[in-house]
Amino acid sequence: TMPSGHVHQGVVSLTTEHGMSGALMSYLLESEQVTSAAGVGTVVEEGELRAAGGWLVQVLPECTEAPLAVMYERLRSDFADAAAVLGKLGSDPMRLVEEICWGMEFTQTQDHALEYRCTCSPERVLASLATVGHDELADMVEKGEPLFITCDYCNTSDEVSPEALRGLVTAS
C-alpha cells in the first residue's frame, strides 16, 4: 500500500513472446515510463538449480551516447540469453556488473545502501500542471486560492500559489 493507504496497482498487458525479461522491460516502460534493459534466468544442471539471477539496467542522465550505444549493443547481443550469461560468469554479481559496464567508468555500490525513492518535487508538480489546458489554468488563477497537490506514492504535499499558476497561464 502507499502512504495514503490506497493500494497501488499497475496493470499492463504483456505477452510471452520475449519471456520474463521482455515482460519486465515492457512493464517498466508502460507502467513506470522508464526505459530499462532486464535479463533474468536460471541455470539448471543435472536437475539441480546452480544459479539464478539477473540484471536491471536503467541509465543515468549523465551517460553519453557513445558508451550507451556500446552497452545497448552488448546487452542486445552478448546478454540475450540470461541463463548462459549467469552460467558463464559463475553467478558472481561483481563480474556481471563489470561485464555490463565493460569499457565504461562506473562506481561499485556494494558499500552503499540502495533505495527506491519517490522522485516527486515542486518542479515536477509545476511541469504536470503545465499540461492542463489554458482555460482551466485561468479559472484556477481567477479563484485566487493555492492548490494543494499530494503525491500518491510518498504522501508529500506541495502548495502551488496563484502566482505560480499565473506564470503557467502566461507561458501557455
Side-chain angles (χ1 to χ4, degrees):
T1 61
M2 296 185 297
S4 65
H6 295 100
V7 174
H8 175 72
Q9 286 185 322
V11 179
V12 175
S13 178
L14 300 173
T15 67
T16 58
E17 180 181 357
H18 299 289
M20 183 59 76
S21 300
L24 179 58
M25 288 186 288
S26 293
Y27 171 79
L28 289 169
L29 183 59
E30 291 184 38
S31 179
E32 307 298 325
Q33 293 85 43
V34 177
T35 303
S36 307
V40 292
T42 57
V43 178
V44 178
E45 295 173 352
E46 300 175 9
E48 288 193 32
L49 180 65
R50 299 288 183 200
W55 54 88
L56 175 64
V57 178
Q58 296 176 333
V59 180
L60 296 173
E62 298 85 26
C63 186
T64 58
E65 202 168 311
L68 181 59
V70 170
M71 179 188 278
Y72 172 76
E73 185 55 36
R74 292 193 72 232
L75 287 169
R76 194 174 67 73
S77 58
D78 300 345
F79 289 76
D81 183 348
V85 171
L86 293 171
K88 177 180 149 189
L89 298 178
S91 63
D92 178 350
M94 290 319 303
R95 283 188 61 204
L96 183 59
V97 169
E98 290 167 359
E99 283 298 314
I100 290 173
C101 297
W102 179 83
M104 300 176 76
E105 189 176 318
F106 67 93
T107 302
Q108 294 180 4
T109 59
Q110 66 187 24
D111 294 334
H112 300 68
L114 295 177
E115 64 180 335
Y116 182 82
R117 61 181 173 80
C118 190
T119 58
C120 71
S121 68
E123 294 78 20
R124 285 182 180 240
V125 169
L126 280 176
S128 66
L129 285 170
T131 65
V132 175
H134 180 272
D135 293 340
E136 194 171 348
L137 282 172
D139 287 344
M140 291 180 212
V141 169
E142 189 176 310
K143 288 181 183 174
E145 298 173 0
L147 291 180
F148 294 93
I149 299 176
T150 302
C151 174
D152 286 335
Y153 182 77
C154 70
N155 212 28
T156 298
S157 185
D158 285 298
E159 179 179 344
V160 180
S161 68
E163 292 77 29
L165 289 173
R166 189 173 292 112
L168 292 176
V169 171
T170 305
S172 67

